[in-house]
Amino acid sequence: MSKKQRIIELAMPAAFILMAAYVAVQSLSMGSEGIFPMMSAGVLFLCAVYLLFQTLKKQAVVNLQGVNLKMVGITLLALLVYVFLLKKIGYVIDTFLLCAFIIRSLGYRKYGMIAVCSVAAVAVVFVIFKVVLSVPLPMII
């Protein structure tokens, strides 16, 4: 395996480790509200370290052949729009639109089923964060 290929393969776990460190540092200033982000950062860090060791141990090659990079870019753009709109239009509408867009972009054509799945996703995540974890979600009302 070439040195360039090895660097490309190590970039992802390195980026995840940096992201976990950033989230952990940011969550320190949140007090008791930062517990969930800190736990998420810990899980991300452990997964990234595991991936780093697996990448260093194996001679695996990342193969992007067959990956629809256009759809990956569109999905990343949709996630950025989601983050931007979250405080402006609230969790419920924004998450419903994101779920519907992602499901539709995967090729599903039945709009009724898309709506049902999107509502279900919004409800499940709402119950987990708002009810079980008592994490405040941005709402317009």
Side-chain angles (χ1 to χ4, degrees):
M1 177 184 326
S2 72
K3 186 175 181 176
K4 180 180 177 183
Q5 183 68 29
R6 175 63 77 172
I7 291 171
I8 290 171
E9 288 186 7
L10 292 174
M12 185 173 60
F16 287 152
I17 289 171
L18 291 174
M19 190 181 311
Y22 175 77
V23 170
V25 168
Q26 292 298 315
S27 66
L28 289 175
S29 65
M30 295 178 182
S32 63
E33 293 179 354
I35 292 173
F36 184 73
M38 183 62 80
M39 290 186 321
S40 299
V43 171
L44 179 61
F45 179 77
L46 291 175
C47 291
V49 168
Y50 174 78
L51 183 60
L52 178 70
F53 284 129
Q54 289 298 318
T55 303
L56 289 172
K57 190 170 79 172
K58 293 193 309 187
Q59 295 295 323
V61 175
V62 175
N63 184 4
L64 296 178
Q65 185 178 4
V67 174
N68 188 345
L69 293 178
K70 179 181 174 186
M71 283 309 298
V72 170
I74 289 171
T75 303
L76 287 175
L77 182 63
L79 290 171
L80 288 173
V81 170
Y82 173 79
V83 170
F84 176 74
L85 291 177
L86 192 57
K87 288 190 178 180
K88 298 196 182 319
I89 63 173
Y91 162 78
V92 174
I93 297 169
D94 197 26
T95 305
F96 176 83
L97 293 174
L98 175 71
C99 290
F101 174 78
I102 296 296
I103 294 170
R104 177 65 181 98
S105 68
L106 289 173
Y108 294 102
R109 304 262 188 253
K110 296 180 181 178
Y111 291 106
M113 187 55 72
I114 291 173
V116 168
C117 290
S118 297
V119 167
V122 169
V124 166
V125 173
F126 181 85
V127 167
I128 290 171
F129 282 93
K130 188 77 172 175
V131 177
V132 176
L133 297 173
S134 298
V135 174
L137 296 170
M139 302 288 184
I140 16 178
I141 300 173

